[in-house]
Structure formats: C-alpha cells, structure tokens
Amino acid sequence: MIIWINGGFGAGKTTLAEELHRRLPDAVVYNPEDVGIMLWKWMRPNDDFQDLPSWRELVVATALSLRRHHAETLIVPMSLIRDAYRAEILGGLAHAGEEVLQVFLEADAGVLRERVDARVGIPANPGANQSAREWALSRVDAAVAAATRQPAGTLLLRSDRLTPAELADEVLAAAGLSQAHGDGKRMR
C-alpha cells in the first residue's frame, strides 16, 4: 500500500510520516521533493518543480520501483494542491495497480501560517530561509481551498485538532493496519 499524505505547508505531513514510520519501521518514507531537487541540479530551477512533467512522471516511477523492490508499505508526505497534478500522480499509481490511501491534512489558514513562520531554517542561509518561508506562505490559501476538492475516498483529518499519534491511529485504521480511536475523521 502507498499512504500519500497531502496537505498544505505546515499541515504536519512530515510529522505524521515520522509517526507512521515509527509504528511501521519496515515501511519506506519517500519524499518526492528529493526528485525535484535532483531535477533542479540538471536544469534551471523554476518557481515550482511540480510544474515539470518530468517531476510528475519520475515521482510515479520512483514510487512504483520502491514499492516493487523495497517496501510493502510506502509513506509519501507531499503536497499535491493542484487537482490536475494530484490526479496525474495518484491516478498513475492506481492505474499501475497500487493501492493508494489518500490522506489530506486540513488545518485553518492561521494555524498553517503560524507553523510555517515557526519553522527553523538553515542558520547559515537566512536569505534562502526567508524566501522559502514567503513561498510557502503564498500557498496557504490554495491549500486550505484544496481540502474541499479532494476526491471520494480521501481521508480528511484535522491536523490542528488531533495530535500526531491520533492522526496516525486514524491513518492506520483506514489502511486496515490498526484499530483507530479518537475523532476528527471523515471520508469524502
């Protein structure tokens, strides 16, 4: 199974992925951002590597290869806010026969902004940190709006109301890997 953790910057995707990995130590955590960074080594960076068709294609191919050769469970923390990109990537995985649990972490815009502002960056490069922070903040409203456009079957969880442990309980229950408890879950 592939557990794809979607949501805005600051929603808690990485924290949830870490908690799931702690509970599923044989799973592989795959961050597609690394594919974008790799592509930018070979070509001029643009505003968003998700706009590169090569990125979307390689994200699917890498996930399939990791699942086939290295992991029964793949945990993928990656924002896919644009509907077309989400459909292309997650649809490509499903078309290849992968079982994909789509999780979308919702949070109020103010909470997302506070979390992004609180991030500790690279001390040696404050200029890059500020640029990355501004870029993430500019996408908060789009991420909040994206929660209302998730496809049927998406597990929507409020990361501003549940702890990382409670979120993991909900995800594992939805994946059929554990008994869940707590509230804040709804399936779309």
Side-chain angles (χ1 to χ4, degrees):
M1 166 176 281
I2 297 173
I3 301 171
W4 194 287
I5 306 169
N6 196 355
F9 298 106
K13 297 178 302 294
T14 300
T15 301
L16 176 55
E18 290 168 353
E19 178 64 18
L20 289 170
H21 193 237
R22 186 183 69 75
R23 296 178 187 203
L24 302 170
D26 292 337
V28 169
V29 177
Y30 161 47
N31 188 344
E33 186 171 314
D34 295 331
V35 174
I37 292 167
M38 175 188 72
L39 286 170
W40 279 352
K41 288 180 181 180
W42 301 326
M43 61 188 64
R44 172 177 287 160
N46 63 351
D47 184 51
D48 188 348
F49 51 69
Q50 289 193 11
D51 294 333
L52 300 171
S54 295
W55 180 80
R56 298 188 303 276
E57 184 178 310
L58 288 170
V59 165
V60 171
T62 303
L64 294 173
S65 182
L66 287 170
R67 270 278 301 117
R68 186 175 307 116
H69 300 294
H70 303 288
E72 197 169 303
T73 302
L74 197 62
I75 302 167
V76 186
M78 186 71 209
S79 294
L80 292 175
I81 301 305
R82 290 183 189 93
D83 297 347
Y85 295 174
R86 181 193 65 241
E88 180 180 347
I89 291 170
L90 299 181
L93 295 170
H95 182 73
E98 291 295 331
E99 182 180 358
V100 179
L101 172 62
Q102 298 177 54
V103 178
F104 192 96
L105 298 180
E106 293 183 271
D108 289 332
V111 171
L112 295 176
R113 286 185 181 93
E114 287 173 17
R115 290 178 179 176
V116 169
D117 278 336
R119 285 187 179 166
V120 176
I122 303 167
N125 196 347
N129 294 335
Q130 184 59 28
S131 175
R133 185 173 285 115
E134 289 171 6
W135 189 86
L137 288 170
S138 74
R139 284 152 172 78
V140 166
D141 292 333
V144 170
T148 64
R149 300 188 315 272
Q150 295 305 299
T154 300
L155 178 63
L156 295 170
L157 297 172
R158 293 299 306 218
S159 66
D160 55 353
R161 297 182 187 153
L162 298 172
T163 67
E166 291 169 330
L167 292 168
D169 288 343
E170 297 289 345
V171 171
L172 293 172
L177 299 171
S178 146
Q179 182 65 33
H181 54 281
D183 61 6
K185 172 179 76 168
R186 72 180 198 268
M187 296 289 284
R188 188 181 295 283

